[in-house]
Amino acid sequence: MATTTFPIAKPKGGAFLLEQRQPHEVFTPEDFTDEHRAIGRATAEFFAKEVAPHLDTIQYEDKSVAVGIMRKSGELGLTGVIIPEKFGGMEMDLTSMMIVGENIAGDGSYAGWHAAHTGIGTLPILLFGTEEQKAKYLPKLASAEWVGAYCLSEPQAGSDALAIKTRAELSPDGKHYILNGQKMWITNGGYADLYTIFAKIDGEKFTAFIVERSFPGVQPGAEEKKMGIRGSSTTPIFLDNVKVPVENVLGEIGRGHIIAFNILNLGRLKLGPLAIGGCKDVIAIAAKYAKERKAFGKTISAFGMIQQKLAEMAIRTYIGESMSYRVVGMIESHLENFSWDAPDAAQTKLKAVEEYATESSYVKVFASEVLDFVVDEGVQIHGGYGFHQDYAVERAYRDSRINRIFEGTNEINRLLATGMLLKRAQRGALPLVQAVMKLQNELLSPPELNLGGPVGPFVAETKLVENAKKIGLMTLGIAFQKYMTTIDEQQELLASITDIMMNAFAMESGLLRAQKIAASGKNAQNATEMAAVFCREAMDSIEAAAKVALANCQEGDALRMSLAVLKRFAKYEPIDAIKLRRNIAARVLETGKYTV
Amino acid sequence: MKIVVAIKQVPVRDSQLRIESDQRWIQEDDLGFEINEPDAYALEEALQLKEKHGGEVVALCAGPSRATQTIREALAKGADRAIHIEDDNLRDLDTFGIATLLAGAVKAEKPDLILTGLQSDDLGYGQTGVVLAELLGVPHATIIMQVEVQGGSIQVKRELEGGWFQHIEMPLPAVLTIQSGINKLRYATLMGIKKAKSKEIKSVTPAAAPAATAVLERVYVPQKSKQTQIFEGDAKSAAAKLVEKLKFEVRII
């Protein structure tokens, strides 16, 4: 088992807001073991040689080609990374799974196949199946001999997953459940051999079932014609009196939502590395084009505005990457002596993942929006050619869009992220109220005079991160005072608060990583510059979001006072971001790719 | 059959190379490294021979500590164990020095067959395998396309020029330098990567090697020595200009 050993604290979920982390306590890609790196290279090599040559075929001609490729990747172990060896898997850690995801993500369509199969297609059985169910199905899924799919959404129930109408009734002889209904937007739907299907027993008890494609009455519908990831299979699934043996009930009857939500938690986190893998690809494509395309007698890479784009693409990718693997590391810190042989193995894994549900939502939202930004600028760098189907960036642009929709829309994730923090606070799992009160007391005392405080690398950024968290806590406190328990209904406000908190987490992740690289004695200039630029631009968006939120909660003198405090926290001395972005772009152009 | 495969770690293909300020080598800081391509085919050949005839494949590598990565990948692909002649200053040696170090390690193993790539992607001398054979006092053959084992000897196919091949029967032990592309490289599997962790890598400090007699004087980007001129105008006037140039400037007609 690839294990990661580093002295990471086991922070409580959401505790990043209240505690100050040290650089050595966070996991970063620089901490990958040799084995992790070898896995990354093996996956990238497989993608370059076996997937990349078939992209047009998969997208425009015959999407089922992807199934054969995926089976081939199964021979390498790429479809069974975290599955125990006794069920035909590699029994590796989560980090390995994320690294495979990142390196398989060079094409949205193929990534769709692979991620759906190995994620939502396999994980429900791995994490909730009985020994018998696992022995029966996991070996087939680990090798990709069978393709897996996950059926939760229905035409009228997307984000509102619990509103599904698919019914299950126990047969008179008590041996089967009879499933009837329709599922929608099922990734791998048209070619899957095994489905995890959610239905309500007697129209009430939300339950998951393992359904084989060969069970009579299972019928995929026509392929959807999509904006992007056109080479992935997305179909409805019709269930017409499907007889499912009672032993194929997955998990507990009436507790299917536990499966649904936990699988989504992991899926959201995994979307981070997948999106970041996509970003890296587009940066390389755009840099190559910028170095080739000539205008006004120069290559366009010589122009400042093109450089600014490349730099900003790299900066946000760096931050998204730092956040993703930081959360992966936080989860791994709970799994240090993890063994599938332990009786509560699956529970241990699920609890570790669930602990960071808020942070996983940040990763999902941030990384999917970074990818959308990167592909958008990627097209822009290509100018008119970026609009042509012949250029890879056109496909990347269309493929990116779905990431903000699936695995919970970014809107749902914005609500959940802060909603879950509040729930934790209510449960007493997170001393959020105490922190807010402490901050309010601090605000009542006069501001400390800034008489030439400490100077040096990272000092200004560390202060920015600290202040970003304070703005988050202050806004949350004021919002809660105003709306109390009805805060759940204030969607726009919750989303603003999430944006503040998410940006604070993003700033901190990028900063700590740069500090960690510097502490290791390696050249940290690039990471430092990327973190420096990001911390300041994130503070600007934090200030804007906080203004909107505060004005919704207060008025008159109270508001004016809060805004004054906000102004104090959000203040910083600007750096020459234009110059730093040029430096960052120069490194992208020199290496032809995203580097840290 | 015991096979030793000598492999070298070189910069990843298509890397953006930058020359060190002292012009003695390239900057290695930001470079990625991988197995030398012909060596990868040598390793694959060895693994296939082992699959057919049984035995053991030992990967042998002289290189700095970073070469461990490449050695592990050889183990991940199926080599049984490895020997790493580890030294960060091997660049000071020439082919004869490196081959001397390799020969020392090979002798201790007493293999039936020694394979290596026909040349390295970085320096491209194409000599190491040959010198190694000489030092071991065993026969060698270069640019090998195919290897067949027949009892105590081997049949090999050598690539000559102009589409010609030479078929040779050789006694064992022998050194073969392998041509790229002769077989289909396998991927490192995740299980292989996992198992490689528990395989032995014997790290040896290099013995005294003869001081280099061939020294790399200067590394530089190839200088442009050719020029292209395009003659404007219609065919007749362009041809006239060409003749004039060839007569009076180049003086070849």
Side-chain angles (χ1 to χ4, degrees):
Chain A
M1 179 134 183
T3 46
T4 313
T5 49
F6 49 91
I8 188 178
K10 293 188 180 64
K12 285 214 173 302
F16 74 93
L17 270 174
L18 320 174
E19 297 167 5
Q20 207 184 349
R21 285 272 86 76
Q22 297 301 314
H24 68 270
E25 293 175 321
V26 294
F27 182 59
T28 72
E30 288 71 32
D31 296 315
F32 289 167
T33 62
D34 287 348
E35 203 179 329
H36 287 141
R37 290 173 208 281
I39 291 166
R41 282 191 299 272
T43 311
E45 189 187 352
F46 180 84
F47 185 86
K49 289 189 182 163
E50 305 288 342
V51 185
H54 304 291
L55 292 185
D56 279 348
T57 313
I58 293 171
Q59 192 181 191
Y60 298 116
E61 290 158 37
D62 180 6
K63 54 184 65 176
S64 72
V65 168
V67 177
I69 297 174
M70 203 157 70
R71 293 204 171 113
K72 204 164 182 183
S73 85
E75 291 167 23
L76 269 69
L78 300 181
T79 47
V81 181
I82 65 165
I83 297 174
E85 279 193 35
K86 68 172 171 179
F87 298 127
M90 301 297 117
E91 205 165 335
M92 290 175 161
D93 60 6
L94 276 182
T95 310
S96 303
M97 181 176 93
M98 298 296 169
I99 290 172
V100 168
E102 184 184 322
N103 286 283
I104 210 84
D107 173 61
S109 294
Y110 186 73
W113 282 98
H114 193 271
H117 170 70
T118 58
I120 52 181
T122 299
L123 295 177
I125 296 175
L126 174 67
L127 295 170
F128 294 94
T130 61
E131 281 303 294
E132 293 74 27
Q133 289 168 341
K134 289 193 269 189
K136 185 170 180 189
Y137 295 116
L138 284 181
K140 291 193 171 80
L141 292 169
S143 66
E145 179 193 339
W146 278 18
V147 174
Y150 179 83
C151 309
L152 176 59
S153 297
E154 295 184 6
Q156 79 299 335
S159 294
D160 186 11
L162 296 182
I164 60 168
K165 288 186 180 155
T166 297
R167 287 177 70 95
E169 319 275 350
L170 193 61
S171 63
D173 63 2
K175 287 184 179 161
H176 293 89
Y177 281 99
I178 315 296
L179 266 58
N180 278 293
Q182 184 196 338
K183 294 293 175 180
M184 192 75 183
W185 302 297
I186 306 309
T187 308
N188 295 359
Y191 297 84
D193 304 282
L194 195 66
Y195 302 90
T196 298
I197 296 182
F198 291 87
K200 285 182 177 165
I201 296 177
D202 304 329
E204 283 172 11
K205 286 166 264 173
F206 194 83
T207 307
F209 298 85
I210 304 172
V211 179
E212 297 180 21
R213 168 75 178 86
S214 58
F215 291 171
V218 179
Q219 187 57 52
E223 291 284 348
E224 306 292 353
K225 293 185 171 66
K226 294 170 297 192
M227 172 196 287
I229 59 169
R230 290 184 184 166
S232 81
S233 171
T234 309
T235 68
I237 303 289
F238 299 100
L239 304 162
D240 179 16
N241 285 313
V242 179
K243 278 171 79 180
V244 180
V246 287
E247 56 269 25
N248 276 26
V249 168
L250 183 63
E252 288 175 52
I253 287 174
R255 314 251 310 149
H257 58 285
I258 304 285
I259 302 179
F261 296 147
N262 275 292
I263 295 303
L264 281 174
N265 281 338
L266 199 52
R268 282 166 190 158
L269 176 58
K270 198 174 158 197
L271 200 135
L274 282 163
I276 295 308
C279 288
K280 291 181 182 178
D281 218 49
V282 172
I283 290 173
I285 291 169
K288 182 166 183 280
Y289 183 82
K291 286 199 282 189
E292 285 166 1
R293 172 71 181 173
K294 285 199 172 129
F296 306 106
K298 300 179 190 174
T299 60
I300 61 169
S301 60
F303 296 120
M305 281 176 76
I306 297 292
Q307 291 175 10
Q308 299 290 289
K309 289 183 195 302
L310 286 169
E312 203 51 37
M313 290 155 83
I315 291 168
R316 297 195 197 179
T317 300
Y318 166 78
I319 299 293
E321 183 182 48
S322 306
M323 290 166 80
S324 300
Y325 286 103
R326 178 181 177 191
V327 179
V328 171
M330 280 156 44
I331 295 171
E332 296 273 34
S333 72
H334 292 267
L335 301 172
E336 252 178 312
N337 296 308
F338 177 81
S339 160
W340 283 107
D341 298 331
D344 56 349
Q347 275 306 312
T348 308
K349 201 149 234 176
L350 286 167
K351 270 187 74 179
V353 172
E354 198 199 355
E355 183 70 27
Y356 305 108
T358 290
E359 288 86 345
S360 296
S361 282
Y362 292 158
V363 166
K364 194 274 173 179
V365 171
F366 194 92
S368 61
E369 291 178 4
V370 167
L371 180 60
D372 247 7
F373 170 81
V374 166
V375 296
D376 188 73
E377 291 288 49
V379 167
Q380 197 68 13
I381 289 171
H382 280 69
Y385 288 109
F387 211 57
H388 288 216
Q389 225 173 58
D390 305 340
Y391 286 76
V393 77
E394 181 266 353
R395 170 175 52 80
Y397 182 87
R398 287 186 289 102
D399 288 352
S400 166
R401 191 60 182 83
I402 187 62
N403 288 289
R404 281 165 53 201
I405 299 171
F406 61 21
E407 304 283 359
T409 61
N410 284 12
E411 288 69 26
I412 284 283
N413 272 287
R414 281 189 158 91
L415 296 179
L416 281 175
T418 298
M420 286 183 293
L421 277 184
L422 292 170
K423 273 201 197 106
R424 290 185 145 259
Q426 274 165 12
R427 278 212 314 266
L430 190 69
L432 205 54
V433 181
Q434 294 87 321
V436 170
M437 282 167 63
K438 188 175 155 239
L439 178 69
Q440 282 169 344
N441 288 334
E442 188 189 318
L443 295 181
L444 292 175
S445 54
E448 53 185 275
L449 287 172
N450 192 354
L451 295 171
V455 287
F458 306 119
V459 170
E461 289 81 9
T462 304
K463 191 78 195 163
L464 278 172
V465 170
E466 199 184 301
N467 286 347
K469 293 180 188 179
K470 283 182 181 167
I471 295 171
L473 285 173
M474 175 178 87
T475 314
L476 182 66
I478 290 169
F480 198 73
Q481 271 166 6
K482 161 95 178 175
Y483 292 103
M484 307 297 282
T485 48
T486 64
I487 195 168
D488 287 353
E489 292 153 30
Q490 307 303 317
Q491 291 200 340
E492 309 93 311
L493 184 60
L494 283 175
S496 292
I497 294 171
T498 295
D499 282 341
I500 299 169
M501 310 283 201
M502 177 175 72
N503 268 308
F505 187 73
M507 291 159 76
E508 187 179 55
S509 303
L511 175 62
L512 290 173
R513 182 173 174 197
Q515 286 178 285
K516 191 171 184 178
I517 297 172
S520 74
K522 292 202 190 98
N523 184 349
Q525 194 191 346
N526 199 23
T528 304
E529 291 182 353
M530 290 196 280
V533 175
F534 181 78
C535 281
R536 287 164 181 84
E537 75 190 2
M539 186 50 107
D540 293 345
S541 37
I542 286 175
E543 189 180 8
K547 264 188 201 160
V548 171
L550 292 172
N552 180 248
C553 301
Q554 292 178 318
E555 52 190 6
D557 284 346
L559 176 59
R560 273 189 289 276
M561 242 176 79
S562 297
L563 290 175
V565 174
L566 171 63
K567 200 171 172 189
R568 167 147 64 93
F569 283 146
K571 204 170 119 187
Y572 62 85
E573 202 166 311
I575 44 167
D576 186 354
I578 291 179
K579 190 178 118 204
L580 293 185
R581 288 203 191 95
R582 280 190 188 173
N583 295 347
I584 295 160
R587 287 183 285 265
V588 171
L589 289 165
E590 190 180 311
T591 54
K593 61 183 180 192
Y594 162 85
T595 51
V596 173
Chain B
M1 183 169 216
K2 184 177 187 178
I3 310 171
V4 168
V5 187
I7 58 175
K8 182 179 186 181
Q9 190 189 45
V10 295
V12 170
R13 276 171 161 253
D14 306 326
S15 296
Q16 304 273 335
L17 300 179
R18 281 169 299 167
I19 293 162
E20 281 279 15
S21 53
D22 66 0
Q23 290 202 306
R24 301 302 291 268
W25 192 236
I26 48 173
Q27 286 180 17
E28 293 193 344
D29 291 354
D30 296 329
L31 283 183
F33 290 89
E34 64 185 2
I35 188 169
N36 178 44
E37 194 186 29
D39 294 346
Y41 288 94
L43 174 66
E44 180 61 39
E45 196 62 25
L47 295 173
Q48 290 187 12
L49 286 171
K50 182 194 152 183
E51 278 159 9
K52 264 188 242 162
H53 306 286
E56 188 185 22
V57 174
V58 183
L60 170 64
C61 179
S65 53
R66 62 166 155 74
T68 315
Q69 174 204 315
T70 295
I71 295 169
R72 285 256 177 249
E73 281 185 15
L75 295 173
K77 289 196 172 183
D80 298 286
R81 59 192 171 85
I83 303 166
H84 185 181
I85 304 171
E86 193 175 335
D87 192 290
D88 287 342
N89 298 312
L90 291 175
R91 261 180 33 219
D92 299 338
L93 300 181
D94 58 8
T95 308
F96 185 53
I98 296 289
T100 306
L101 296 180
L102 294 176
V106 173
K107 267 181 200 156
E109 289 290 332
K110 300 194 179 60
D112 302 297
L113 186 61
I114 301 108
L115 303 183
T116 190
L118 64 94
Q119 63 185 17
S120 57
D121 289 341
D122 54 357
L123 290 169
Y125 293 148
Q127 298 172 346
T128 310
V130 181
V131 179
L132 173 63
E134 191 61 27
L135 289 169
L136 293 170
V138 301
H140 75 263
T142 54
I143 327 179
I144 298 304
M145 304 287 294
Q146 205 178 314
V147 185
E148 299 278 349
V149 178
Q150 295 169 331
S153 65
I154 46 174
Q155 273 277 351
V156 299
K157 179 179 167 189
R158 279 191 76 206
E159 185 181 359
L160 303 177
E161 283 174 32
W164 288 83
F165 298 98
Q166 183 183 22
H167 294 266
I168 319 169
E169 192 178 335
M170 296 175 72
L172 291 176
V175 174
L176 303 177
T177 73
I178 302 292
Q179 170 68 298
S180 283
I182 69 163
N183 47 39
K184 191 168 185 306
L185 298 180
R186 68 191 67 194
Y187 293 106
T189 65
L190 263 50
M191 193 48 83
I193 291 169
K194 193 171 167 181
K195 283 186 178 155
K197 243 193 345 187
S198 52
K199 288 181 178 174
E200 181 198 44
I201 300 182
K202 194 164 87 182
S203 180
V204 249
T205 352
T213 48
V215 181
L216 209 72
E217 283 283 341
R218 186 163 76 93
V219 177
Y220 58 97
V221 178
Q223 281 154 355
K224 231 184 189 171
S225 57
K226 285 179 189 158
Q227 276 187 357
T228 307
Q229 262 185 321
I230 294 174
F231 302 125
E232 307 281 347
D234 59 26
K236 204 173 165 187
S237 66
K241 266 187 212 154
L242 178 63
V243 170
E244 191 187 303
K245 288 263 177 199
L246 292 175
K247 250 187 195 160
F248 301 109
E249 221 169 279
V250 197
R251 295 185 196 179
I252 53 167
I253 54 172

